[in-house]
Amino acid sequence: LRSLAIRAPLTGLYNRRFLEEELAQRLIHVRHEARPLAVAMLDLDHFRDYNERHGHRAGDLVLRSLAVLLQGFRQGSDVPCRYGGEEFVLIMPGATASEAAARLEPLRCRLAETGIHHEGRPRQPVTASIGVAEFPRDGVEAAPLLDSADRAMYRAKRGGRNRSCGAIASGE
């Protein structure tokens, strides 16, 4: 029952409820240890259009594929989560924002190169926009840190999509 309560059924990743609780706990630990922590928010580009063009089952395949990629790219105590819809978050304890962005660049490229096969036909690859924020620079509590990563992700979308952006420490 606990697993059902904290995991997103489609992807098997931790859900938003778990993310918020886990991030708050991780922030306590890194604050005490004076270590950085990065939060990356990933959003699939034009995903609504993808679902309309190829159908929701093809879209579900894309979501599961990204979940598998996130699991494969995580390191150490990283925590991949499904935030909601086509948004995902990766909590990266011990990583700075620049380290997190560098680690996620190969994932972003791999996703853009990965075609999905559905109903015996290849479907177009999808891309992701990524925003990265760092504790304590971009937020000292879970909600402001997630908000910073979210704003950075939207800057990546406005900048042309299929790219990463870091948070702007002084606000955006």
Side-chain angles (χ1 to χ4, degrees):
L1 286 177
R2 170 140 170 83
S3 181
L4 291 174
I6 63 173
R7 295 219 180 245
L10 179 66
T11 62
L13 296 178
Y14 291 112
N15 62 23
R16 187 172 181 166
R17 176 187 306 165
F18 179 87
L19 161 70
E20 291 168 349
E21 293 172 6
E22 184 70 10
L23 181 55
Q25 289 300 310
R26 297 289 179 121
L27 288 172
I28 291 169
H29 292 297
V30 296
R31 186 180 296 121
H32 183 70
E33 298 169 0
R35 295 178 54 214
L37 177 140
V39 172
M41 185 167 291
L42 298 84
D43 185 77
L44 293 171
D45 297 325
H46 303 294
F47 190 66
R48 181 175 294 148
D49 294 340
Y50 189 93
N51 268 339
E52 288 175 6
R53 195 171 323 115
H54 301 294
H56 289 281
R57 290 199 328 206
D60 288 350
L61 278 172
V62 170
L63 295 173
R64 284 193 294 272
S65 295
L66 178 54
V68 168
L69 279 175
L70 279 170
Q71 289 285 22
F73 273 87
R74 74 183 206 47
Q75 295 179 6
S77 58
D78 291 354
V79 182
C81 303
R82 184 170 181 199
Y83 194 63
E86 68 273 14
E87 290 183 326
F88 295 79
V89 170
L90 185 60
I91 302 170
M92 305 169 82
T96 64
S98 60
E99 291 167 344
R103 283 182 36 207
L104 288 167
E105 187 61 13
L107 179 140
R108 187 191 60 74
C109 292
R110 169 92 52 85
L111 179 66
E113 296 166 354
T114 302
I116 303 296
H117 282 77
H118 179 64
E119 296 178 345
R121 296 182 12 221
R123 306 295 179 182
Q124 71 185 61
V126 295
T127 60
S129 297
I130 303 172
V132 181
E134 180 183 329
F135 166 85
R137 183 190 71 196
D138 303 314
V140 295
E141 300 294 332
L145 193 58
L146 285 168
D147 288 345
S148 292
D150 189 52
R151 286 192 303 274
M153 183 264 304
Y154 276 105
R155 279 189 29 255
K157 286 191 174 295
R158 288 190 305 272
R161 301 181 192 269
N162 192 25
R163 65 188 66 229
S164 298
C165 280
I168 297 176
S170 61
E172 289 151 271

